[in-house]
Amino acid sequence: MTSAGTGPAPPTRALPKSADVVVIGGGIAGTATAAFLAEAGASVVLVERDAIAGGASGRNSGVVQAPIDPVLAALYRESVTRYRALEDAAVAPFALPREPAGLLYVSRDATLAKRLAEELAARAPELQPEYLDPEAVHALEPSIDPSVAACRLEIGYPVAPGAATTAYAELAAARGALVAVAAPASIVRDGRRAVGARVGDRQILAPAVVLAAGPWTPGIVDPTGRWCPIRRSWGVVAEIALPEPPGHVLEEAELDEAIEPGGEALPGYGFSLVTAAGRSVLGSTFLEREPDAASIVPELQRRGARFVPAIADAPVVSSRRCARPVSDDGRPLVGRIPWLDRLYVVAGHGPWGISTGPGSAAIVADLVLGRRSDPPPELDPGRFG
């Protein structure tokens, strides 16, 4: 196996005996954390068990967009700033569009779409919410069914899935970090302290360990399973060939209310459509059990065709699934584990991973480097006991 563009991964026996920081997890949060720490001069080992961007960070629909929740929105704004800096510093090609494509929360219920626009105008006027009746929607995006209304927001940056994560991994390596796709990792403990990581038969001692292993994070922190504030929500998306895809990012309006912190329980299925780098990705599911991706695609197409009729007959290029790490309150865990000194966590971003991951990584890097003393209380892992 190889890490993302960094050449052959070193065998486990070639890993160093020590480092300033070990980062466990090669998703967007882990790779960004490693890049920020390496930029500050820390010696960093980033360990991923499977592949860089091999989980939700590389199997998402491909859009950076603003959450409505104010806590997540702050992480999003910082993430966009970090992405702009990544464009200039990246070794691997990465670019965030200069302007958002626009997001349409679509619904066949015009009353719901109008109410959503009114609510968002009160809660988040900076997103420029605007109600569009079916005639206006069809004029704006002719591929959308003429009966569909929408709430339009001035947000949504389509990006190729995995592009940012790969770029951060490359940048971390260029700054001196060792990026290793090796073996599953566990924490080396000395009483109530984390003193390093064990990777296969190799032990790496380090004054700080950052755990960014997505939905597998709780099992590494507490192998007994008693502490489990992050669950897996399985998402399936399909890449489809649409000759004239919408320019806007599309999401089912009902889905917005379900995935915000404090909203309804996550639905089994929801509609979304994102076109980035010439590829259209249809989604998505929110399932408790790992599904067979190919068997889910017909239902995604059926639901999607209610909004964009051409989806019904669009050739399916590929399908993929991932386990989103969803926390119990819908917000990520960012900061220290209170009962184990020197162990930091950055995980639990749910469907907002690439939209908020770099902002979370910046907080954790500052904590490790002593640039700040505490994370925002709404993100502190200690809130789960």
Side-chain angles (χ1 to χ4, degrees):
M1 290 184 291
T2 62
S3 55
T6 56
T12 304
R13 64 181 180 276
L15 294 173
K17 295 181 178 180
S18 64
D20 293 331
V21 189
V22 175
V23 179
I24 301 174
I28 186 64
T31 57
T33 299
F36 300 155
L37 290 168
E39 181 183 27
S43 63
V44 180
V45 176
L46 169 65
V47 180
E48 162 59 40
R49 68 176 185 177
D50 294 322
I52 298 298
S57 294
R59 295 171 173 263
N60 53 78
S61 294
V63 60
V64 175
Q65 70 183 56
I68 307 303
D69 175 64
V71 175
L72 299 184
L75 293 176
Y76 159 80
R77 290 190 293 271
E78 178 63 22
S79 295
V80 170
T81 298
R82 296 283 175 168
Y83 280 140
R84 296 299 182 203
L86 178 63
E87 291 178 327
D88 297 331
V91 179
F94 173 78
L96 198 68
R98 302 317 300 174
E99 300 293 335
L103 170 68
L104 291 178
Y105 282 130
V106 293
S107 178
R108 299 177 71 90
D109 182 346
T111 301
L112 185 149
K114 187 174 184 179
R115 185 179 74 244
L116 180 59
E118 293 170 349
E119 292 175 353
L120 292 179
R123 293 171 57 193
E126 69 278 6
L127 303 183
Q128 304 177 40
E130 176 187 8
Y131 168 68
L132 300 178
D133 63 24
E135 183 177 353
V137 171
H138 190 62
L140 183 64
E141 292 284 6
S143 63
I144 295 180
D145 188 277
S147 65
V148 172
C151 166
R152 185 187 187 279
L153 303 183
E154 187 63 18
I155 62 174
Y157 297 95
V159 296
T165 304
T166 299
Y168 270 125
E170 294 277 7
L171 182 59
R175 289 172 171 171
L178 175 62
V179 179
V181 179
S186 59
I187 300 164
V188 178
R189 308 163 191 250
D190 182 4
R192 295 175 61 88
R193 295 186 305 166
V195 295
R198 183 171 289 104
V199 184
D201 60 357
R202 189 74 171 182
Q203 183 171 283
I204 308 172
L205 298 180
V209 178
V210 177
L211 189 50
W216 293 272
T217 296
I220 300 175
V221 173
D222 180 11
T224 69
R226 290 176 295 180
W227 186 79
C228 192
I230 300 173
R231 67 186 188 280
R232 301 173 191 177
S233 174
W234 287 93
V236 173
V237 299
E239 183 182 330
I240 58 176
L242 280 178
E244 297 181 359
H248 284 73
V249 175
L250 306 186
E251 283 191 8
E252 192 172 350
E254 290 81 353
L255 182 61
D256 169 65
E257 296 182 351
I259 64 176
E260 289 293 336
E264 300 295 328
L266 290 176
Y269 288 79
F271 165 67
S272 65
L273 183 67
V274 182
T275 299
R279 297 182 175 183
S280 296
V281 178
L282 170 68
S284 178
T285 67
F286 298 83
L287 304 172
E288 293 183 2
R289 297 182 179 179
E290 183 175 3
D292 172 66
S295 68
I296 299 293
V297 173
E299 176 61 16
L300 293 180
Q301 287 190 284
R302 186 192 70 80
R303 292 179 65 90
R306 297 173 66 241
F307 301 99
V308 180
I311 289 175
D313 300 318
V316 177
V317 178
S318 63
S319 62
R320 56 183 182 263
R321 66 180 181 269
C322 68
R324 303 184 194 89
V326 179
S327 74
D328 286 347
D329 63 4
R331 291 168 174 168
L333 285 69
V334 183
R336 301 178 184 86
I337 292 296
W339 67 85
L340 197 58
D341 191 28
R342 301 182 181 179
L343 178 63
Y344 301 80
V345 168
V346 53
H349 294 81
W352 305 107
I354 63 170
S355 298
T356 61
S360 301
I363 292 173
V364 164
D366 283 348
L367 288 168
V368 172
L369 296 168
R371 294 172 174 170
R372 64 184 297 163
S373 57
D374 295 293
E378 300 90 347
L379 305 178
D380 193 331
R383 71 189 189 273
F384 293 111

